[in-house]
């Protein structure tokens, strides 16, 4: 668990994976499918693009809805997940498209939203 | 010149860690801040007799220490520890002790709607951009306000509520008239009222009071006459 949570983790969408190979990132997306082994799942970002997330240990729970994943981008442009949380949507659905628009803003103005 | 933010400023943990301390105040890129809000996940929670120490992670840096003092006399909701893995909004004061930054929270609220998080990150960009623009304008000093060219007010704060050049539109107009008045005893309030048909005497007086307290103008023969401190 340790190290990745002590450093800056830029928030990215699928389109940014290539620019972050080997680096810690934070990815938010909706669960599309989970591999039967539980060691791999696919998330869809606010633009509908898919990212594959891998786990070192299989999932020990059902996952669904919107997940926020912290991990490192692999050479294959997948994310090796170190931790994740599920966004609560019991009161209101999460607007993933709006989140994607917000990502564009924070990437455009790093002087006002520094990451690291 | 100091631009102090009187409001609670939404920030990233990275901004708080980078804030410079001068005596008792903190500045993020020269803008003074005191009360701030952050949003992040609770990574760790430790309960002590008089306080709860949380580590709150917003992904922009390592998790930040957030301390919430507990009222030891009352058994109430303040004593309930928010569990790790919860997304929270924290409102508090920035502190630094032995070069380590932390927050003293006066409010910690679990987020019930994660869209608030999206709003928060947009508010951070907006707030720091506006504060920076105000600071830059104030450093340039008061400039003539010509009705012909208002220029780009930016999209942030719009309307008359956002001061341009550190002064509101009304204040700028009043200052401009006073500056351009050739008479030795300066401009009178009555004269200002004649020239500024769109402004009430109350608004003019408010503007004059502000400009005077900021040092842009000074009273001459009496409290009704003012000259500009700028030698032109």
């Amino acid at each position: 668990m340790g190290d990745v949570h002590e450093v800056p983790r830029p928030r990215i969408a699928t389109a940014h994976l290539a620019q972050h190979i080997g680096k810690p990132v934070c990815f938010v997306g909706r669960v599309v499918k989970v591999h039967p082994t539980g060691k791999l799942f696919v998330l869809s970002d606010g633009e509908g693009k898919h990212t594959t997330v891998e786990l070192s240990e299989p999932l020990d729970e059902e996952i669904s809805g919107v997940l926020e994943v912290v991990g490192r981008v692999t050479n294959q442009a997948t994310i090796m997940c170190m931790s994740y949380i599920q966004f609560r949507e019991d009161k209101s659905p999460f607007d993933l498209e709006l989140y994607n628009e917000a990502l564009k803003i924070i990437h455009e103005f790093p002087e006002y939203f520094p990451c690291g | 010149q100091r631009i102090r933010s009187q409001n609670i400023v939404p920030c990233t943990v990275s901004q708080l860690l980078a804030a410079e301390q001068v005596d008792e105040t903190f500045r993020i890129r020269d803008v003074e801040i005191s009360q701030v809000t952050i949003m992040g996940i609770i990574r760790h929670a430790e309960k002590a007799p008089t306080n709860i120490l949380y580590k709150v992670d917003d992904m922009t840096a390592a998790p930040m220490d957030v301390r919430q003092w507990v009222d030891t006399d009352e058994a109430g909701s303040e004593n309930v520890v928010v569990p790790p893995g919860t997304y929270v909004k924290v409102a508090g004061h920035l502190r630094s002790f032995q070069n380590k930054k932390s927050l003293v929270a006066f409010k910690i609220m679990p987020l019930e709607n994660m869209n608030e998080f999206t709003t928060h990150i947009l508010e951070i960009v907006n707030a720091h951009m506006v504060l920076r623009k105000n600071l830059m304008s104030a450093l340039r000093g008061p400039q003539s306000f010509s009705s012909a060219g208002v220029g780009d007010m930016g999209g942030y704060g719009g309307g008359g509520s956002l001061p341009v050049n550190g002064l509101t539109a009304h204040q700028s107009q009043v200052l401009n008239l006073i500056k351009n008045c050739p008479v030795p005893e300066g401009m009178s309030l009555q004269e200002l009222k004649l020239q500024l048909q769109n402004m009430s005497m109350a608004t003019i007086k408010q503007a004059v009071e502000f400009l005077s307290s900021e040092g842009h103008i000074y009273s001459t023969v009496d409290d009704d006459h003012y000259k500009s401190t700028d030698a032109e």
Side-chain angles (χ1 to χ4, degrees), chain B residues 54-126:
Chain B
Y54 293 103
K55 291 200 185 281
V56 177
D57 183 6
D58 75 351
M59 312 293 174
T60 64
M64 169 158 267
D65 282 358
V66 174
R67 201 172 295 272
Q68 186 177 37
W69 296 103
V70 163
D71 190 342
T72 50
D73 289 339
E74 283 180 38
S77 55
E78 280 73 53
N79 294 340
V80 173
V81 176
V82 182
T86 312
Y87 248 101
V88 292
K89 177 173 184 171
V90 177
H93 289 94
L94 186 59
R95 293 277 183 266
S96 184
F97 181 65
Q98 295 178 341
N99 244 353
K100 190 173 154 99
K101 298 253 184 33
S102 65
L103 282 184
V104 172
F106 50 80
K107 204 159 175 84
I108 299 183
M109 293 168 300
L111 290 188
E112 302 207 327
N113 181 346
M114 285 307 294
N115 294 306
E116 278 186 58
F117 181 74
T118 306
T119 307
H120 178 77
I121 65 184
L122 291 170
E123 283 180 345
I124 290 173
V125 174
N126 185 58

Side-chain angles (χ1 to χ4, degrees), chain A residues 3-14:
Chain A
D3 60 305
V4 148
H5 298 87
E6 296 295 312
V7 300
R9 289 138 284 162
R11 289 181 173 276
I12 62 162
T14 301

